[in-house]
Amino acid sequence: MADLTRRTVLGAATAATTATVSAAAASVTAAAAGAAQAATSSPQPPTLWQEFTRAPYTHPHIPYIARAGARRGARHLSRPRRVFHAHHYGARPDAQSNAAPAINRALAAAGRAGGGTVQLAPGTYRVDDVIRIRHDNVVLRGAGPTRTELLATKNLTELIGPYGSRYGGDKSSWSWAGGLIWLCPSARWDSLTTAIRAGTWPFEGWTGNRRDEWRTLTTLAPAARGSWSARVTDASRLRPGDLVLLRLADDADHTLLEHMAGGGPGARAYTWDDKTKLTSYVPYEWPVRVARLKGRTVTFERPLPLDVRPEWDPRLTTHVRALTGSGVEGLTLAAVETPQSPHLLDRGHNGVTFQCAYDCWAEDVHVRHVDNGFGLVAASACTLRRTSVGGRGAHHPYFCREGSHDNLIEDFRIERRTTPAPAGTQLHGINVEGLSSYNVWSRGDMRTGTFDTHRGMPFANVRTQITVENDGRHGGDASAGPLYGARFTHWNVTVTNERAGLVKLDGIAPYSATVGISRVREFDQIDVPDFSGELDGRIEAYGSPGAVRPRNLYEAQRALEE
């Protein structure tokens, strides 16, 4: 863990600002010396950034997200050295044969060997089944998204069966779950698909279909949000490197939910009891690795996301076996082009989904003609890097739900749809919901869609250095509660069509930060605050996207650690 003293934090921030100013001054000609002098003193970092550098782990408006992503945000994610060539298992790049069984045999062989990279040669592979990555340290790798393509001929309804909603109604859960490339540990896959086929509509998270597959490792003493360590009652069942769940249960007065919303008067006055979908998401479950043990003091690889208080029965627990160290790289997944389904009736022409996965990734992956593009479902500490969604248009190009935390989606792109949207369909964009927290969307080019905060009170998420044609709409059932919890941050966002919805946060999200966004106005879907009274939202550098320094909040936080 990096030690962040006030001197090193402020020094790094000053150095970053000085470097930016020097670069600007160097580009000015001698004839513009007066302009150069002005450039050396501006732009100044926003007050919020200066405040953050003095309290990076506990700032009331900006979350600490420097360690989001696989292996704490590692720039280079090394793949296993042992290579399994898919053609040795019968995979052929032609339209005549189904390559899915051969690719899955190669992936299973790599898993049995303790890990490996399954290499796909250039070409187009027809796949008539789900491609399953279900073992640790297994990577599926193509020759690049323009050279290796998987052409998926079937959807998840055909391959697994109809998937109804556990909350009732005639909705299809394939509208927000599952992928035609599905990274999910073997036992969890088996339990999920067995339940779906039986029509019992399971929970999808870290503690099983009925959320009862866990046991207590130890209880915790009180600790504050932002602390890296906590005292435990008994450390005998913990080891450095273990992946554990921090489990916080709400109390009868819903003080945990109030805390997630910032704890202000609006949260205290809010009616929580009738938000049955939201309350079904609690207990809050946060996966994290144990970094160190010293006596009964446990240090984690990330700081605590919330306070740990006795009234929330704080525990470290076990969980279903996770998938770790696995990924997919260098390919395109294209579904056979079909018209987009009516809203919430998706059949499951879905792209790449991570479920009960930790320290996993996708890099250089493109998906086309899908209902839903890239999914994070009870997935944490995963990285999606240089990914894109294109083709006929998607319901959720990116979805992040069911308590997904600490993920990084960077250098992403949502392309303009290639066919008009059919009547009755819906477009969201970059989705987050279901108490998901500390996720980052960075350096995005959204030619369509919106910042779909989908109720279920996600909190402490960051969207930074993104350009968006804000033409989508948010969703979410009223019983899922607020759109936003506390510490949501939008930093350096260019809105190309001037629409405010779900981008300008100061009047809608509690204890939020809106820094360096375009000037926008309200039209189409208008956001209404869920909480009454003063929200204590902050806004700075309004109307100045691109000019705000630092430009990228995630990268600036990482620089403080280096």
Side-chain angles (χ1 to χ4, degrees):
M1 181 197 322
D3 293 323
L4 291 183
T5 65
R6 179 175 178 179
R7 178 178 295 176
T8 59
V9 166
L10 294 179
T14 302
T17 303
T18 302
T20 301
V21 168
S22 299
S27 67
V28 180
T29 64
Q37 183 176 1
T40 60
S41 60
S42 65
Q44 292 295 319
T47 301
L48 273 163
W49 174 249
Q50 297 176 38
E51 292 175 0
F52 176 84
T53 61
R54 293 190 290 269
Y57 309 131
T58 58
H59 194 275
H61 296 85
I62 299 175
Y64 175 80
I65 39 81
R67 293 201 172 192
R71 297 170 184 162
R72 301 180 301 280
R75 296 299 188 193
H76 301 287
L77 296 165
S78 58
R79 69 185 67 88
R81 292 185 178 181
R82 185 170 182 179
V83 176
F84 295 75
H85 292 281
H87 67 268
H88 291 164
Y89 295 82
R92 299 288 180 264
D94 60 60
Q96 307 306 314
S97 58
N98 173 20
I103 295 170
N104 282 330
R105 283 195 298 269
L107 292 167
R112 289 193 300 270
T117 297
V118 172
Q119 184 69 53
L120 289 170
T124 298
Y125 298 80
R126 196 188 93 202
V127 292
D128 302 343
D129 202 352
V130 177
I131 301 301
R132 295 176 53 197
I133 300 176
R134 54 197 179 101
H135 295 98
D136 294 348
N137 305 312
V138 171
V139 175
L140 177 63
R141 184 170 187 253
T146 63
R147 301 183 66 204
T148 300
E149 179 178 285
L150 303 183
L151 179 61
T153 64
K154 297 185 178 182
N155 58 57
L156 294 168
T157 300
E158 295 173 285
L159 295 171
I160 296 172
Y163 187 5
S165 170
R166 65 178 181 257
Y167 299 104
D170 60 357
K171 302 171 185 175
S172 168
S173 286
W174 297 129
S175 301
W176 53 76
L180 292 168
I181 299 177
W182 201 334
L183 293 91
C184 182
S186 187
R188 193 71 186 99
W189 160 275
D190 291 342
S191 67
L192 280 166
T193 55
T194 297
I196 292 167
R197 289 182 173 117
T200 56
W201 315 148
F203 281 89
E204 299 156 295
W206 285 98
T207 48
N209 293 350
R210 294 183 175 86
R211 299 194 72 180
D212 58 358
E213 296 177 42
W214 60 274
R215 58 185 176 83
T216 299
L217 297 170
T218 186
T219 56
L220 285 82
R225 175 177 66 86
S227 300
W228 291 80
S229 300
R231 293 272 291 173
V232 299
T233 305
D234 178 7
S236 64
R237 290 186 288 275
L238 303 176
R239 299 290 183 273
D242 284 355
L243 181 65
V244 298
L245 282 186
L246 170 65
R247 190 174 191 272
L248 300 176
D250 205 3
D251 59 14
D253 294 326
H254 299 297
T255 59
L256 175 60
L257 292 174
E258 289 178 8
H259 178 55
M260 293 174 181
R268 290 192 292 272
Y270 187 76
T271 300
W272 301 98
D273 284 330
D274 62 350
K275 309 303 186 297
T276 53
K277 191 170 184 180
L278 174 65
T279 55
S280 77
Y281 299 149
V282 183
Y284 175 80
E285 295 169 338
W286 182 62
V288 66
R289 289 197 192 279
V290 174
R292 289 197 302 273
L293 284 170
K294 186 174 181 180
R296 292 195 291 116
T297 298
V298 180
T299 300
F300 304 108
E301 66 175 345
R302 293 176 174 86
L304 290 172
L306 295 163
D307 287 353
V308 171
R309 300 181 188 173
E311 56 265 36
W312 302 331
D313 190 23
R315 300 167 182 263
L316 297 181
T317 75
T318 62
H319 47 82
V320 299
R321 180 179 173 85
L323 183 73
T324 65
S326 296
V328 55
E329 303 175 348
L331 57 81
T332 289
L333 171 65
V336 171
E337 187 170 358
T338 58
Q340 187 176 348
S341 298
H343 190 218
L344 301 178
L345 297 178
D346 297 352
R347 292 178 58 76
H349 297 95
N350 295 350
V352 181
T353 290
F354 296 78
Q355 187 156 7
C356 296
Y358 194 96
D359 281 339
C360 293
W361 69 90
E363 285 194 335
D364 297 308
V365 177
H366 180 58
V367 300
R368 289 179 58 79
H369 306 315
V370 292
D371 295 336
N372 303 282
F374 291 87
L376 297 160
V377 181
S380 293
C382 293
T383 293
L384 310 183
R385 183 174 288 143
R386 297 187 299 277
T387 60
S388 59
V389 181
R392 53 91 155 148
H395 179 191
H396 297 96
Y398 292 82
F399 56 96
C400 178
R401 52 176 295 271
E402 201 77 9
S404 291
H405 314 291
D406 303 302
N407 296 294
L408 170 64
I409 303 95
E410 68 176 354
D411 296 308
F412 67 95
R413 180 182 174 92
I414 303 175
E415 299 175 0
R416 291 188 181 93
R417 62 186 309 140
T418 55
T419 60
T425 61
Q426 187 62 272
L427 165 67
H428 295 311
I430 51 175
N431 158 276
V432 61
E433 58 182 287
L435 299 182
S436 297
S437 63
Y438 294 85
N439 300 290
V440 179
W441 291 262
S442 171
R443 293 198 305 266
D445 180 7
M446 297 176 59
R447 302 299 176 92
T448 190
T450 192
F451 290 2
D452 174 37
T453 308
H454 206 93
R455 300 204 175 273
M457 202 170 68
F459 65 94
N461 297 286
V462 168
R463 294 153 173 158
T464 183
Q465 201 174 353
I466 297 171
T467 298
V468 55
E469 176 76 8
N470 190 12
D471 61 358
R473 297 172 69 82
H474 76 72
D477 193 297
S479 68
L483 286 167
Y484 299 96
R487 296 184 302 286
F488 239 94
T489 301
H490 290 171
W491 190 290
N492 186 5
V493 178
T494 299
V495 183
T496 58
N497 62 345
E498 299 184 339
R499 180 175 167 227
L502 291 172
V503 176
K504 190 171 184 289
L505 295 174
D506 57 302
I508 184 71
Y511 297 92
S512 63
T514 306
V515 179
I517 71 162
S518 301
R519 289 202 170 271
V520 291
R521 55 196 173 90
E522 289 192 345
F523 62 89
D524 190 33
Q525 189 178 34
I526 306 299
D527 301 330
V528 177
D530 291 292
F531 300 108
S532 60
E534 175 57 48
L535 295 175
D536 197 26
R538 300 274 296 276
I539 185 166
E540 287 191 74
Y542 183 44
S544 301
V548 67
R549 298 293 184 272
R551 290 186 178 182
N552 187 292
L553 180 61
Y554 168 72
E555 292 173 356
Q557 288 196 23
R558 285 188 62 83
L560 296 180
E561 285 203 335
E562 295 172 355

